[in-house]
Amino acid sequence: MAINYNLAKVYALSDNDPEFVMQIITLFVTEVPEDLKQIELGIKEKDHKLAYAYAHKIKPTLDLLGMSVAFEEILQVEAWTKREGKRKEINDTFASIQSQVEKAIKEIKKDFEV
């Protein structure tokens, strides 16, 4: 049973199409970690535009996979980029997002053998 993610929205959106569900899962597992690296780079280098672009990109995916806490936190990252905040303000929030995504990916790989 999924603990770190929820596919209810994915199944509803796809009319229970298993191929579509697998596409979304595969996209999440392969692209989101790379996008997180870009957000991390943006935070590290105070490149607010870079961090915003990738935070904005993964936001719908986090919502679609029912990762509500990570979704709320990615909104905080977006807000931080808009006000061009200090790096230390966002480090814990970003670390939390990373941790949640890592747990979800590990669980998805186990559940779907991807």
Side-chain angles (χ1 to χ4, degrees):
M1 184 172 118
I3 296 171
N4 296 296
Y5 68 97
N6 182 329
L7 296 177
K9 287 183 182 180
V10 178
Y11 281 109
L13 185 67
S14 72
D15 278 336
N16 293 322
D17 178 356
E19 284 184 33
F20 179 80
V21 172
M22 284 307 296
Q23 285 178 330
I24 296 297
I25 288 169
T26 302
L27 208 78
F28 177 75
V29 169
T30 57
E31 288 193 15
V32 171
E34 293 303 314
D35 295 342
L36 285 175
K37 288 178 185 172
Q38 294 300 312
I39 296 169
E40 185 174 35
L41 182 64
I43 290 170
K44 183 178 172 187
E45 296 185 358
K46 295 184 185 173
D47 185 341
H48 296 97
K49 287 183 173 136
L50 177 68
Y52 176 83
Y54 282 92
H56 189 71
K57 179 183 175 195
I58 70 170
K59 182 172 62 173
T61 307
L62 297 176
D63 183 43
L64 194 58
L65 270 89
M67 298 177 67
S68 55
V69 174
F71 177 78
E72 292 299 321
E73 290 175 336
I74 208 71
L75 294 176
Q76 292 174 29
V77 172
E78 281 187 336
W80 172 84
T81 63
K82 287 180 182 174
R83 69 173 191 281
E84 297 190 358
K86 305 263 186 285
R87 190 170 49 225
K88 68 180 179 182
E89 297 171 337
I90 205 65
N91 284 339
D92 290 343
T93 302
F94 179 72
S96 174
I97 295 166
Q98 267 188 314
S99 173
Q100 291 172 68
V101 167
E102 287 169 8
K103 287 176 186 172
I105 287 173
K106 186 176 180 183
E107 191 173 356
I108 287 168
K109 285 182 174 182
K110 183 179 167 210
D111 293 347
F112 291 90
E113 298 175 2
V114 287

